[in-house]
């Protein structure tokens, strides 16, 4: 639900980490459906200096995608960096935008691979936490005959689910023109 100024977004139950961060942040870019401007609405101005075009919060994980079959006829899976929020940031960086990510991965081989991948893409990882106790989330991606994908997640829990409200700093969020978040981060 939209609230009056300062602009914030609150989930119905108000219990999600994203909802708490948005309430805490204060002034954010919000678009009301039907306002003039872009196809989806008009951006409201922000009166603060920003360092990043977009800061995203959400899931960062390894997608294992099928990459052929072995000589024994078994499916071969390739470990690929995944997570919709970082996919958005990587594309924005390719378009010349400055981005940062807030999230958590395991302090394991997959978490280190993800951190290095973000850094290689030019995404700020100052607030990417490495959890020494919880592993990086894994997802096996199966492509169906009709081209759709089916995901099997392996987290019990995964590090991406363990980000706490205290680890999301208000002053850092205020450094962005836009705060983007993935839907999976709204589920906790």
């Amino acid at each position: 639900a939209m609230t009056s100024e300062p602009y914030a977004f609150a989930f119905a139950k108000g219990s999600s980490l994203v909802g708490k961060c948005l309430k805490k942040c204060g002034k954010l870019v919000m678009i009301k459906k039907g306002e003039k401007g872009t196809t989806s609405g008009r951006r409201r101005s922000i009166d603060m200096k920003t360092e990043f075009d977009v800061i995203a919060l959400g899931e960062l994980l390894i997608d294992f995608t099928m990459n052929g079959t072995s000589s024994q006829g078994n499916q071969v899976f390739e470990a690929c960096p995944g997570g919709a929020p970082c996919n958005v940031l990587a594309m924005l960086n390719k378009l010349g935008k400055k981005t940062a990510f807030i999230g958590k991965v395991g302090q394991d081989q997959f978490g280190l691979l993800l951190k290095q991948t973000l850094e290689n893409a030019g995404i700020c990882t100052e607030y990417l936490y490495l959890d020494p106790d919880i592993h990086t989330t894994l997802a096996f991606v199966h492509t169906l005959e009709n081209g759709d994908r089916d995901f099997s997640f392996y987290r019990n829990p995964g590090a991406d689910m363990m980000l706490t409200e205290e680890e999301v700093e208000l002053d850092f969020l205020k450094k962005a023109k836009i705060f983007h978040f993935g839907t999976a981060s709204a589920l906790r």
Side-chain angles (χ1 to χ4, degrees), residues 64-185:
F64 281 95
T65 57
M66 193 170 151
N67 192 11
T69 56
S70 70
S71 59
Q72 297 174 332
N74 297 319
Q75 294 178 342
V76 175
F77 287 87
E78 180 178 11
C80 303
C86 283
N87 291 341
V88 169
L89 295 181
M91 185 54 66
L92 288 169
N93 267 47
K94 287 182 181 181
L95 295 172
K97 302 301 179 185
K98 191 164 182 190
T99 63
F101 179 71
I102 302 170
K104 189 178 278 191
V105 294
Q107 190 173 335
D108 51 35
Q109 69 179 15
F110 296 120
L112 296 174
L113 169 69
L114 291 166
K115 184 177 189 302
Q116 186 63 54
T117 300
L118 294 187
E119 289 171 350
N120 290 346
I123 299 168
C124 173
T125 60
E126 182 179 352
Y127 286 92
L128 174 62
Y129 295 93
L130 299 174
D131 193 308
D133 300 316
I134 308 294
H135 293 290
T136 301
T137 295
L138 307 177
F140 285 83
V141 184
H142 303 276
T143 304
L144 306 175
E145 287 182 21
N146 65 2
D148 284 344
R149 297 174 301 161
D150 183 44
F151 294 85
S152 298
F153 290 94
Y154 290 85
R155 52 163 66 117
N156 190 24
D160 61 322
M161 299 174 68
M162 303 308 294
L163 186 69
T164 66
E165 184 177 352
E166 293 74 33
E167 292 170 318
V168 181
E169 291 190 22
L170 173 61
D171 288 338
F172 187 67
L173 287 177
K174 288 182 176 181
K175 291 181 179 183
K177 293 177 186 174
I178 298 171
F179 177 49
H180 170 71
F181 55 92
T183 54
S185 46

